[in-house]
Amino acid sequence: MRDRITSAARGNTDLVGLLVLLLVVLVAYQHYDSSLLSPASVTILSAQFLPLILAAAGQTTVMLLGGIDLSLGAVLGLAMAVFATYDAHSAGGVVTAAAAALCAAVAAGAANGTLVAYAGLPPIVVTLAASFLWSGVTLIVLPQPGGHVPGGLVNAYNNGWNGLAVPALAVALVLAAWKVLRTTRYGLALYAVGGNEHGAYASGLHTRGTKIAGYALAGAFTGLAGIGLAVQTGSADPTIGTPYTLNSIAACVLGGISFFGGVGRMRATVLGALVIGLLTNLLLFTGISPFYQLIVQGVILVVALALKTYLTREAAV
């Protein structure tokens, strides 16, 4: 019981520290954009950040299992390419295109999970190799930037639909669905396998099946991210997913997701993704040369992580 209370205290400390960091970034951001909290800005920013939030949700699922997915960007690009190149000129076509993109991403995730579960190879090795495989498949589907997304869908996503910020609503639905999932038998198994695989197996859990399903679920989140990015831009780019791999990992780490599995909250990952997205925009506003923006962003993230780790340790003492 005492360990559980300590773990909960650490989780709350992580969340509070992340909220403070987000507040600092928001205050700095509002200095450059006074309309930050207006409905129009919320809609635009949520449309911009949704792909990263969904990608980070996929990475969270894998990291909770004690792994890491270096093929996430390639799978995101594959889903994006499938969606944008499918005939989506009618309403039914959009649904079919989305279904095809999701099926491709889920299949890729399940294939990664199967190799991790049965081949006995480290997830980082499997997903690194898979990143080249899925990148090659994506280039077959879409050799160069192109594709098409219906203009009405692009407008509704980026500017709102009947007064609703569709991307913000999507984030709320994802968080609600994850909260429900955590209470199910599979949700409990996901955390148990990530926290102690041998103990979970000894308790009668199907650890391999849990891993495969977890990677497939990560593929679903990543597929949704690819669809969201295609709708945001109105087209597809087979190589655009690469930055999302490292940014999704950074969002997870900022959110307190453990590299060793079994520890972390999805809402903290969402906050981490928001911090990274706002920070990226903030650096653009400051006029810093693009050559130095990545360096500055990296330094800020390292300092934030170091400070958060220090505060967590102090709270645990």
Side-chain angles (χ1 to χ4, degrees):
M1 179 63 71
R2 184 177 180 180
D3 290 341
R4 290 183 179 178
I5 293 175
T6 302
S7 178
R10 290 179 181 177
N12 290 332
T13 302
D14 277 348
L15 198 58
V16 170
L18 190 54
L19 284 170
V20 171
L21 177 60
L22 179 60
L23 181 61
V24 170
V25 175
L26 283 172
V27 170
Y29 196 102
Q30 195 165 27
H31 175 73
Y32 292 95
D33 182 7
S34 58
S35 64
L36 172 63
L37 299 179
S38 68
S41 291
V42 170
T43 300
I44 293 171
L45 289 176
S46 63
Q48 181 181 347
F49 298 157
L50 179 62
L52 176 57
I53 291 173
L54 291 171
Q59 193 69 255
T60 295
T61 307
V62 173
M63 289 180 66
L64 287 174
L65 286 167
I68 194 167
D69 190 359
L70 297 183
S71 69
L72 184 144
V75 175
L76 186 152
L78 174 61
M80 186 184 191
V82 170
F83 180 76
T85 56
Y86 204 91
D87 184 11
H89 294 288
S90 64
V94 169
V95 175
T96 305
L102 276 177
C103 284
V106 170
N112 291 347
T114 301
L115 287 173
V116 170
Y118 285 96
L121 295 172
I124 192 170
V125 174
V126 171
T127 57
L128 176 61
S131 67
F132 295 103
L133 170 63
W134 304 129
S135 293
V137 174
T138 302
L139 288 172
I140 293 174
V141 175
L142 185 68
Q144 57 187 6
H148 172 74
V149 178
L153 185 59
V154 175
N155 182 64
Y157 178 90
N158 288 298
N159 300 313
W161 178 70
N162 290 336
L164 292 175
V166 178
L169 180 61
V171 173
L173 289 174
V174 167
L175 288 174
W178 182 264
K179 187 172 184 178
V180 172
L181 177 68
R182 280 206 60 176
T183 62
T184 64
R185 179 179 175 83
Y186 175 74
L188 297 173
L190 180 73
Y191 277 83
V193 171
N196 186 347
E197 183 175 353
H198 295 294
Y201 180 79
S203 299
L205 293 178
H206 191 329
T207 55
R208 286 177 173 173
T210 301
K211 282 187 177 182
I212 294 171
Y215 276 81
L217 178 60
F221 280 128
T222 306
L224 289 172
I227 293 171
L229 190 56
V231 176
Q232 179 196 354
T233 59
S235 61
D237 185 334
T239 62
I240 200 173
T242 303
Y244 285 87
T245 300
L246 294 181
N247 282 337
S248 67
I249 296 172
C252 291
V253 175
L254 270 177
I257 308 298
S258 173
F259 276 109
F260 302 102
V263 177
R265 304 177 182 184
M266 186 62 77
R267 61 179 180 270
T269 293
V270 172
L271 292 177
L274 288 176
V275 168
I276 292 175
L278 289 168
L279 182 59
T280 302
N281 283 3
L282 184 59
L283 291 176
L284 290 174
F285 286 150
T286 58
I288 297 175
S289 169
F291 297 105
Y292 297 103
Q293 284 180 13
L294 290 177
I295 296 175
V296 175
Q297 182 178 348
V299 170
I300 292 174
L301 290 176
V302 167
V303 172
L305 288 171
L307 181 60
K308 190 166 71 71
T309 302
Y310 173 76
L311 293 174
T312 302
R313 288 178 178 174
E314 288 295 311
V317 174

